[in-house]
């Protein structure tokens, strides 16, 4: 691995996960449509089942296409190993329910992917795993919420949809000092921009549905991290809940990863240009973008996001109605949920992703009624700016 680590990320994404000695030299890893694998004989079968020998024996427990994706992600995140699952939520729930048990406690950010918060509040809670939600923009927020039974510090940075920044090194240190785990949702940054394991985190999770896949055509999830964490997920949630990724989906994510570096470079560039335009626009009352020098987390983001600030920008157009007018008047940008694809996607959080929350819960999570989340694609920045300005002009 150390040899691979010396190569540029631009080179590694192209070759990650490839094993030249396998698949008859196919440069594109084949899609293994197999739910079971013939065993050479009883002794070898036993060795494979006992994990004394590497090998495959049942679809839910992996196949060579899934393994190629897992080794690619372990390489790109600088992890010991990785596991690929059917969605980002399979990764979130798989980590939480594999690492924790009844009576344990999690500290998680107030601003973050709303389904993660809902999972902690309504599912983990049912199993006696409690959560405290903290501001997370200051690592002290985690330190002061620690309880005797705290076992996991959950970080999401930049956060969805407010682009809050959490200091990964500082929160990981709190976890390491206590001998508990720190897991980072690295979906927004991707390993191109940010590598939490190198900052002391124990594992990262991804919605591979977003930037890793990158083409709005697949649902998947990844957990990458230290061997002990991945083994617990592999032998815990993955095995018993049965949420591994399908071979087709694994192949699509692998195919997406080959252009991850090129895409992220362009996402970073376009988002910077658009955030800059929005900051000076009279119809925009606030812009949330960690690349802006006046963003609260700008300095920390500059330290831990090595190549750029990502392709996500959110901004406020003042009211629920103005938010609707904006999304109804974009022509190039697509009105949709999800993010991280090659095409620019806009969404109005209050009427879409955060519509399931009560207005009170929305306010507490910092979701203003006019908040627009923009997943900036890889189109020409000037074309996007013209489209966004056109829609903003319709707000009265
Ligand atoms: C989308 C998303 C998830 C969930 O991923 P799915 O693939 O939709 O299950 C988790 N975290 C973040 C930050 C996301 O944006």
């Amino acid at each position: 691995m150390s040899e691979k680590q010396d190569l540029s990320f631009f080179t590694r994404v192209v070759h990650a996960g490839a094993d030249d000695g396998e698949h008859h030299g196919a440069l594109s890893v084949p899609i293994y449509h197999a739910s079971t694998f013939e065993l050479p004989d009883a002794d070898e079968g036993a060795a494979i089942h006992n994990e004394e020998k590497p090998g495959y024996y049942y679809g839910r427990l992996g196949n060579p296409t899934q393994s190629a994706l897992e080794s690619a992600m372990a390489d790109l995140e600088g992890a010991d190993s990785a596991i690929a699952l059917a969605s980002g939520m399979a990764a979130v729930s798989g980590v939480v329910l594999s690492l924790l048990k009844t009576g344990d406690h999690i500290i998680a950010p107030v601003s973050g992917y709303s389904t993660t918060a809902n999972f902690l509040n309504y599912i983990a809670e049912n199993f006696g795993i409690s959560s405290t939600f903290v501001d997370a923009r200051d690592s002290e927020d985690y330190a002061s919420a620690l309880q005797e039974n705290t076992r996991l510090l959950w970080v999401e940075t930049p956060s969805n949809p407010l682009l809050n920044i959490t200091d990964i090194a500082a929160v990981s240190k709190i976890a390491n000092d206590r001998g508990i785990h720190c897991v980072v949702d690295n979906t927004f940054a991707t390993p191109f921009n940010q590598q939490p394991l190198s900052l002391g985190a124990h594992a990262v999770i991804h919605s591979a549905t977003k930037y890793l896949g990158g083409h709005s055509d697949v649902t998947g999830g990844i957990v990458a991290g230290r061997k002990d964490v991945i083994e617990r997920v592999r032998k815990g949630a993955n095995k018993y809940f049965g949420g591994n990724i399908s071979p087709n989906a694994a192949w699509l994510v692998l195919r997406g990863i080959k252009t991850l570096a090129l895409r992220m470079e362009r996402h970073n560039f376009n988002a910077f240009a658009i955030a800059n335009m929005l900051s000076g626009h009279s119809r925009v009352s606030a812009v949330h973008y960690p690349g802006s020098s006046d963003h609260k987390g700008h300095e920390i983001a500059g330290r831990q996001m090595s190549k750029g600030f990502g392709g996500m920008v959110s901004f406020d157009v003042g009211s629920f109605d103005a938010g609707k007018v904006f999304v109804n008047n974009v022509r190039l940008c697509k009105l949709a949920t999800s993010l991280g694809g090659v095409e620019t996607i806009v969404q109005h959080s209050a009427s879409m992703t955060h519509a399931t929350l009560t207005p009170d819960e929305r306010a507490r999570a910092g979701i203003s009624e006019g908040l627009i989340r923009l997943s900036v694609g890889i189109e020409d920045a000037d074309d996007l700016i013209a489209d966004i300005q056109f829609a903003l002009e319709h707000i009265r």
Side-chain angles (χ1 to χ4, degrees):
M1 178 135 81
S2 61
E3 214 178 288
K4 276 187 190 164
Q5 295 281 341
D6 292 341
L7 295 170
S8 155
F9 195 89
F10 284 88
T11 305
R12 282 158 55 208
V13 286
V14 175
H15 298 283
D19 184 339
D20 300 338
E22 282 198 51
H23 316 303
H24 307 283
L27 283 185
S28 167
V29 176
I31 303 171
Y32 279 81
H33 276 290
S35 60
T36 189
F37 297 81
E38 187 182 8
L39 300 164
D41 60 43
D43 285 343
E44 284 226 13
I48 292 170
H49 278 75
N50 293 337
E51 292 174 27
E52 285 158 9
K53 253 191 100 162
Y56 303 98
Y57 61 97
Y58 189 56
R60 169 159 44 78
L61 305 173
N63 61 69
T65 318
Q66 180 179 329
S67 295
L69 171 58
E70 291 169 348
S71 70
M73 282 309 296
D75 176 356
L76 299 180
E77 287 285 6
D80 294 333
S81 58
I83 182 160
L85 296 145
S87 69
M89 281 314 298
V92 171
S93 58
V95 166
V96 170
L97 295 176
S98 297
L99 294 184
L100 278 71
K101 62 180 189 320
T102 301
D104 289 345
H105 174 249
I106 302 175
I107 305 175
V110 167
S111 168
Y113 186 62
S114 61
T115 312
T116 298
N118 289 344
F119 165 74
L120 295 177
N121 276 326
Y122 304 119
I123 307 295
E125 183 74 32
N126 284 345
F127 293 98
I129 299 167
S130 60
S131 305
T132 300
F133 293 89
V134 297
D135 183 305
R137 287 177 292 181
D138 182 342
S139 57
E140 275 306 305
D141 299 333
Y142 284 87
S144 52
L146 283 170
Q147 299 178 7
E148 193 212 322
N149 57 343
T150 305
R151 292 284 172 271
L152 177 59
L153 306 185
W154 191 268
V155 171
E156 187 182 313
T157 182
S159 75
N160 186 353
L162 285 176
L163 289 303
N164 281 353
I165 298 296
T166 299
D167 187 333
I168 297 169
V171 177
S172 298
K173 184 173 185 314
I174 295 169
N176 280 309
D177 286 349
R178 294 271 291 214
I180 61 176
H181 288 114
C182 174
V183 176
V184 178
D185 185 332
N186 206 27
T187 300
F188 270 34
T190 82
F192 179 76
N193 285 325
Q194 172 173 286
Q195 308 205 336
L197 301 175
S198 72
L199 300 168
H202 302 93
V204 302
I205 74 100
H206 280 278
S207 169
T209 316
K210 316 291 171 54
Y211 289 105
L212 300 179
H215 296 75
S216 305
D217 56 8
V218 63
T219 301
I222 301 285
V223 187
R226 289 202 333 210
K227 196 166 185 295
D228 58 310
V229 176
I230 303 308
E231 281 308 293
R232 280 170 75 170
V233 177
R234 195 179 291 286
K235 292 175 179 164
N238 178 65
K239 184 168 185 176
Y240 297 109
F241 304 163
N244 75 318
I245 198 166
S246 78
N248 276 315
W251 187 87
L252 282 168
V253 177
L254 264 174
R255 140 87 78 118
I257 286 172
K258 290 179 196 292
T259 56
L260 179 68
L262 282 179
R263 287 185 285 107
M264 290 315 297
E265 196 172 48
R266 181 65 167 238
H267 287 299
N268 286 347
F269 175 86
N270 282 356
F272 192 89
I274 289 170
N276 201 36
M277 177 278 287
L278 290 169
S279 300
H281 200 286
S282 62
R283 306 253 155 81
V284 175
S285 56
V287 179
H288 309 283
Y289 172 64
S292 302
S293 55
D294 59 356
H295 185 280
K296 190 176 181 330
H298 179 65
E299 198 212 323
I300 296 168
R303 240 186 290 139
Q304 68 191 18
M305 301 182 80
S306 54
K307 296 203 189 68
F309 300 98
M312 300 300 298
V313 179
S314 60
F315 59 101
D316 198 322
V317 292
S319 70
F320 192 88
D321 288 343
K324 279 174 44 181
V325 169
F326 176 79
V327 298
N328 283 339
N329 283 284
V330 286
R331 295 175 296 185
L332 189 55
C333 302
K334 300 299 168 199
L335 175 60
T337 196
S338 199
L339 58 102
V342 290
E343 58 287 286
T344 298
I345 290 177
V346 295
Q347 77 151 35
H348 177 215
S349 300
S351 66
M352 295 167 66
T353 41
H354 290 70
T356 55
L357 300 186
T358 66
D360 251 13
E361 286 173 326
R362 269 208 291 277
R364 252 182 284 130
I367 309 300
S368 56
E369 300 297 289
L371 188 75
I372 303 292
R373 188 186 74 185
L374 194 60
S375 170
V376 179
I378 63 168
E379 301 94 332
D380 181 81
D382 290 337
D383 288 342
L384 292 173
I385 285 173
D387 190 50
I388 293 164
Q389 286 175 331
F390 174 83
L392 284 171
E393 295 310 319
H394 288 75
I395 299 171
R396 295 281 149 237

